[in-house]
Amino acid sequence: VQLQAYGGGLVQAGASLKLTCAASGRTRSYAWFRQAPGKEREFVATLRSSGSRIVYADSVKGRFTISRDNAKNTVSLEMNKLKPEDTAVYYCAAGDPIITFDHAPEGYRHWGQGTLVTVSS
């Protein structure tokens, strides 16, 4: 499965931005992770293709929304009320993790190239 993420950019704090990830194949779960400079990659959100499970990191809960368009085979991350601390390279991921690992990078086999989101204060 190949993943292509796009939609990043430079925005001001409080603005919104939508990231989209186009997949060449299908897997059970899709996720977004992010990595800020000098920090480890961290979990943002995940969902099952069936829609049966959606999980968010506490830091984005209530501000970000992950969704999937099965017809287009895309996964999106709608980001609202952006904060400077949301600045990072955002990666989409796909795989078949068990629930215990669906918030961990190790749970995903396929990764996109990343798209940079910069939030200015």
Side-chain angles (χ1 to χ4, degrees), residues 2-71:
Q2 293 187 341
L3 304 172
Q4 180 73 37
Y6 55 93
L10 171 63
V11 297
Q12 290 188 331
S16 298
L17 203 59
K18 183 177 181 179
L19 306 181
T20 301
C21 179
S24 65
R26 299 182 185 274
T27 60
R28 183 167 61 188
S29 293
Y30 299 84
W32 288 94
F33 289 80
R34 66 187 182 186
Q35 188 166 17
K39 295 187 177 181
E40 294 186 352
R41 190 168 298 189
E42 67 170 351
F43 168 75
V44 175
T46 185
L47 85 167
R48 290 278 178 101
S49 296
S50 63
S52 61
R53 177 174 168 85
I54 295 177
V55 181
Y56 295 97
D58 288 343
S59 59
V60 306
K61 199 173 296 182
R63 299 188 298 122
F64 291 13
T65 302
I66 187 171
S67 62
R68 173 162 168 76
D69 186 327
N70 287 322

Side-chain angles (χ1 to χ4, degrees), residues 74-117:
T74 59
V75 178
S76 295
L77 186 69
E78 185 79 39
M79 305 183 293
N80 299 313
K81 300 179 182 178
L82 283 162
K83 305 175 181 179
E85 51 263 45
D86 294 318
T87 294
V89 176
Y90 284 70
Y91 298 89
C92 60
D96 301 295
I98 59 175
I99 289 178
T100 308
F101 289 98
D102 68 0
H103 63 285
E106 294 78 9
Y108 297 88
R109 178 183 300 182
H110 310 286
W111 291 84
Q113 84 288 2
T115 184
L116 176 62
V117 173

